[in-house]
Each structure stands twice: as structure tokens, then as C-alpha cells.
Amino acid sequence: MSSSDAGLEEGPELSITLTLRMLMHGKEVGSIIGKKGETVKRIREQSSARITISEGSCPERITTITGSTAAVFHAVSMIAFKLDEDLCAAPANGGSVSRPPVTLRLVIPASQC
């Protein structure tokens, strides 16, 4: 653990609620939801963050994560690990084919920029 990480854990908990919105492709959202919603349920329980995913059959959906800074950080970390896990599990047809990068696009209102 780095010294900057230690400072986050030892300091008092900030009393703010953070909301993060990410625009994600359908395949990525499907990975986060999991079979019968099991993956997103587990992420919600372990991180204590509120996670909602927009409805619809459009190619991109908005994932909203709300909670304390620590809860949101934990949820986003779990999402990133899940996406990486699924990407590593995908069969490479050509042997040493490079994996495409996963891009998480944050949706930030203009008033907050």
C-alpha cells in the first residue's frame, strides 16, 4: 500500500455523496449485470454503493453509481476488475491477438466541468 492510499484510509470519512455516471456499451453492461443480475447485486452488496443501469435496447446505456467516496471507488474498482476478467477469458482466435482497450466514458454535466 502506498503512502497516499494510507492517508485515505486513516483520515475521517467525508460526509459527501458522490454520483458517477458512465456511458457503457451493451456488451460491457451485460458483463456488469451478469446472469439474472447476480454480478451487479454482488457489487452493490460488497461496495455499499447504489448502482442503477438505464433501461432500453440501445447500443449504449448509462450506469449510475452513487454513495460515499469509498463506496463509489470500491464499486468502480469491482466493475473494472470484472471487465478485465471477462476480457481475459475471451478466446483469442489468432493466438497473440492484442486485446482491445476497455474505455469507460464518464458523463459529466457541463455545470460541473
Side-chain angles (χ1 to χ4, degrees):
M1 180 169 15
S2 72
S3 61
S4 63
D5 290 340
L8 288 175
E9 290 180 20
E10 294 172 7
E13 182 68 27
L14 297 175
S15 61
I16 63 167
T17 299
L18 181 64
T19 298
L20 209 64
R21 289 181 182 87
M22 296 183 292
L23 193 60
M24 301 175 77
H25 288 285
K27 185 177 180 182
E28 295 163 349
V29 170
S31 176
I32 300 310
I33 294 172
K35 290 183 182 176
K36 298 183 182 179
E38 290 296 320
T39 303
V40 74
K41 181 179 176 184
R42 181 176 44 87
I43 294 171
R44 285 178 181 135
E45 290 171 355
Q46 291 180 6
S47 69
S48 301
R50 181 172 177 259
I51 301 171
T52 58
I53 299 171
S54 64
E55 295 291 327
S57 59
C58 52
E60 295 178 319
R61 294 166 66 181
I62 296 176
T63 301
T64 304
I65 306 167
T66 305
S68 68
T69 304
V72 171
F73 175 76
H74 192 213
V76 171
S77 295
M78 292 179 73
I79 288 170
F81 281 119
K82 177 62 179 158
L83 292 172
D84 186 54
E85 180 183 278
D86 289 353
L87 195 59
C88 289
N93 294 334
S96 63
V97 175
S98 63
R99 298 182 310 189
V102 174
T103 303
L104 299 178
R105 291 171 289 163
L106 294 177
V107 178
I108 303 172
S111 63
Q112 294 180 4
C113 291

